[in-house]
Amino acid sequence: MADFSLDRIADLPLDLCLGGEVVPASDGGRFDVLDPATGAVLTTVADGTVDDAVAAVDAADAAAAGWAATPPRERAEILRRAFELMTERREEIAHLISLENGKALPDARGETAYAAEFFRWYAEEAVRASGSVMTAPSGANRIVVLQQPVGIAVLVTPWNFPAAMATRKIGPALAAGCTVILKPASDTPLTALLMAKILEDAGVPAGVVNVLPARRSGPVVSAMLHDPRVRKLSFTGSTEVGRVLLREAADQVVNCSMELGGNAPFLVLDDADLDAAVDGAMIAKMRNAGEACTAANRFYVHEAVAAEFGRRLAERMSALRVGPGTSDDTEVGPLVNDESAAKVDELVQGAVAAGARVVVGGRRPEREGFYYEPTVLLDVPVDAAILGEEIFGPVAPIITFTDEADAIRMANDTEYGLVSYVYTRDLARGLRVSEQLDAGMVGLNRGLVSDPAAPFGGTKQSGIGREGGHEGMLDYLESKYVAVSW
Ligand code: NAD
């Protein structure tokens, strides 16, 4: 599919998907979707309005009672069918992700498989929403706990994993019996629209999944959060926008799950297997060209191995083939937009001005599109801005440490707590350090933590709640306690 173009996906909706219909925006507005490899317009998509947001809630509301009453086995089979359709159409989906997001095809294929797995996993979980029964300690009655769907869920997703961030929310919501409105990121609405089509083909009834692309995200999401019929917000995106939405959700006390930003430390202890650590670093840093909330942002490397680790990492980074995401031999695609590439460059230049040394990369290449060269920085001062913010690009800053306790203190010195990585040959030491790292997830001798079967999420300002695993469905269920005498 080297010459892939959008026309290859004949059934891709380009309007709003509301109540089982594909409809234009109420004011006829549309917005451009760009190709990050060239900056050219790929296509335009309907730009949802506040009126459309109300219509989306109407559609989700009309379908809510029927979907909640649908037998769990039937909901499971529909989700399973969605997994199978995604798997059958995986090449098309991967190309579409590459086209609108820019990521290299191997990353897009990885995302497609990961995204489909959420449908398979929650097909399996749909039939396991068990409650409980116990005798009250007084002996006077029974305590029966039922699990019921929380209600209409608004799902807001980022551009960096346009398929997986959608399925990670839609899968558990549908399994739990909730109807949803998905507001995808405006840089990448196409993949979400194709998901709507696939879910419809899998047998999801009209109104259960509604997709509402909108450039004016603020007013559109706010309108839904102020509609008393909406009971759930699941947001993935930046901590900054997460704070705004938590405030918005407060007015109607909407139940919130928040998957926010990260600033992952990657610790290489003196006894680490350096081959494994460099392999892990390449995954933790370079998956999606560094545009991942889980991306290793700060490499703390023991002084005994820092020079060798830096040398090997630089060698691997400089060998990467940079190019358009949809080309078969590309390993690193462009960043999502011009602003992202400019921000990465600003952080790198700031670190250099503060005393960091560029080993490889360190600039935007002279070509069209939103590219950044894979970069390794050595001797990064501990107070450099690049260590305090999400880089969201292919840049690895290395900081040397001598004392393990210092490394842990520096790793935890951030308002984020999504994920940390540790490399050591001593498993007991690794587990001890893992316990001391303030993060929702730890990769111990592994550069990849994401797994649909595991609870993904962060501590501190990286979020509230978990997605994936058994825990992921609990975020869409409400416990109802019935005190019974019999
Ligand atoms: P973003 O916060 O800018 O946008 C996320 C979503 O919110 C988009 O759909 C956007 O249109 C919408 N949005 C923006 N402003 C809004 C507003 N005022 N009201 C309502 N909606 C609004 O994030 P992004 O740039 O799309 O994605 C990158 C961020 O996402 C990074 O911070 C990354 O760490 C985070 N992320 C976190 C996870 C996780 O699981 N923790 C996963 C992927 C990405």
Side-chain angles (χ1 to χ4, degrees):
M1 285 212 200
D3 58 345
F4 185 83
S5 76
L6 273 189
D7 320 335
R8 298 280 286 267
I9 308 183
D11 58 352
L12 176 65
L14 294 174
D15 285 321
L16 316 176
C17 294
L18 303 183
E21 307 283 332
V22 180
V23 293
S26 61
D27 65 358
R30 306 189 70 76
F31 65 90
D32 292 342
V33 182
L34 304 186
D35 175 354
T38 59
V41 177
L42 277 173
T43 186
T44 68
V45 158
D47 188 0
T49 64
V50 166
D51 286 345
D52 296 320
V54 175
V57 180
D58 289 343
D61 188 42
W67 184 246
T70 301
R73 175 68 72 208
E74 228 172 275
R75 296 201 298 258
E77 278 165 4
I78 291 173
L79 284 169
R80 172 75 200 196
R81 181 79 190 120
F83 160 74
E84 283 158 5
L85 289 176
M86 278 192 78
T87 306
E88 277 166 26
R89 300 186 67 175
R90 60 187 179 274
E91 274 301 288
E92 260 176 292
I93 300 169
H95 278 77
L96 183 61
I97 294 172
S98 278
L99 210 53
E100 65 171 345
N101 166 282
K103 69 177 72 177
L105 268 180
D107 282 329
R109 291 188 176 112
E111 178 184 348
T112 306
Y114 174 53
E117 282 299 337
F118 283 104
F119 287 155
R120 174 152 69 172
W121 175 263
Y122 285 106
E124 292 157 352
E125 285 293 294
V127 290
R128 313 205 195 299
S130 50
S132 61
V133 183
M134 68 179 271
T135 302
S138 66
N141 60 294
R142 301 294 185 278
I143 294 170
V144 175
V145 181
L146 307 173
Q147 295 292 346
Q148 296 186 319
V150 65
I152 297 175
V154 170
L155 315 176
V156 181
T157 52
W159 48 262
N160 64 340
F161 288 91
M165 296 304 96
T167 61
R168 195 164 83 172
K169 297 184 190 306
I170 296 171
L174 265 52
C178 298
T179 58
V180 306
I181 301 139
L182 170 66
K183 207 300 287 167
S186 30
D187 281 313
T188 56
L190 302 176
T191 309
L193 290 165
L194 185 57
M195 292 297 112
K197 176 69 183 125
I198 285 175
L199 284 158
E200 184 191 338
D201 291 348
V204 172
V208 171
V209 175
N210 304 281
V211 178
L212 180 67
R215 219 351 149 210
R216 294 153 286 190
S217 338
V220 163
V221 174
S222 177
M224 293 191 279
L225 294 179
H226 286 93
D227 187 318
R229 294 172 295 176
V230 169
R231 294 314 316 147
K232 175 82 195 176
L233 166 67
S234 178
F235 171 75
T236 298
S238 62
T239 298
E240 196 188 343
V241 174
R243 285 189 198 105
V244 171
L245 293 185
L246 282 168
R247 285 190 203 105
E248 293 269 347
D251 290 338
Q252 300 279 344
V253 193
V254 173
N255 177 319
C256 289
S257 295
M258 310 301 280
E259 294 287 351
L260 308 177
N263 182 2
F266 188 106
L267 276 60
V268 183
L269 306 187
D270 50 352
D271 63 349
D273 172 341
L274 279 196
D275 289 337
V278 172
D279 284 348
M282 290 301 291
I283 295 168
K285 179 73 255 178
M286 293 307 294
R287 194 161 67 111
N288 279 353
E291 292 179 312
C293 53
T294 50
N297 226 43
R298 301 170 285 149
F299 290 82
Y300 295 105
V301 187
H302 190 274
E303 61 179 355
V305 291
E308 183 60 12
F309 176 84
R311 190 190 62 73
R312 292 199 208 174
L313 187 65
E315 202 174 282
R316 293 275 292 273
M317 292 282 271
S318 60
L320 290 170
R321 288 186 302 273
V322 178
T326 47
S327 292
D328 277 331
D329 61 348
T330 291
E331 292 171 299
V332 182
L335 300 183
V336 72
N337 55 35
D338 193 48
E339 205 186 342
S340 291
K343 188 196 155 202
V344 171
D345 196 45
E346 189 186 314
L347 288 172
V348 169
Q349 302 319 326
V352 171
R357 247 179 337 119
V358 176
V359 191
V360 290
R363 62 183 194 102
R364 292 184 71 167
E366 281 165 22
R367 61 189 293 175
E368 65 171 5
F370 313 132
Y371 292 91
Y372 205 82
E373 288 183 355
T375 298
V376 176
L377 300 175
L378 275 184
D379 305 332
V380 181
V382 289
D383 56 354
I386 199 167
L387 303 181
E389 293 185 38
E390 281 191 288
I391 304 171
F392 248 60
V395 180
I398 298 181
I399 310 99
T400 305
F401 72 89
T402 46
D403 180 50
E404 182 187 293
D406 266 352
I408 295 170
R409 187 186 46 73
M410 288 190 287
N412 288 339
D413 186 17
T414 163
E415 75 257 30
Y416 296 107
L418 190 61
V419 58
S420 302
Y421 302 91
V422 191
Y423 274 78
T424 169
R425 280 199 171 89
D426 178 345
L427 202 51
R429 184 184 188 193
L431 287 168
R432 180 165 46 75
V433 172
S434 298
E435 281 190 353
Q436 293 174 62
L437 289 166
D438 192 350
M441 302 175 285
V442 178
L444 176 50
N445 293 329
R446 261 189 81 73
L448 179 72
V449 293
S450 306
D451 188 321
F456 185 107
T459 61
K460 298 193 276 186
Q461 295 189 38
S462 284
I464 302 170
R466 294 292 180 269
E467 290 192 318
H470 176 64
E471 291 85 345
M473 200 162 91
L474 298 178
D475 275 22
Y476 293 90
L477 289 167
E478 196 81 88
S479 294
K480 178 181 283 174
Y481 148 54
V482 186
V484 197
S485 293
W486 67 56

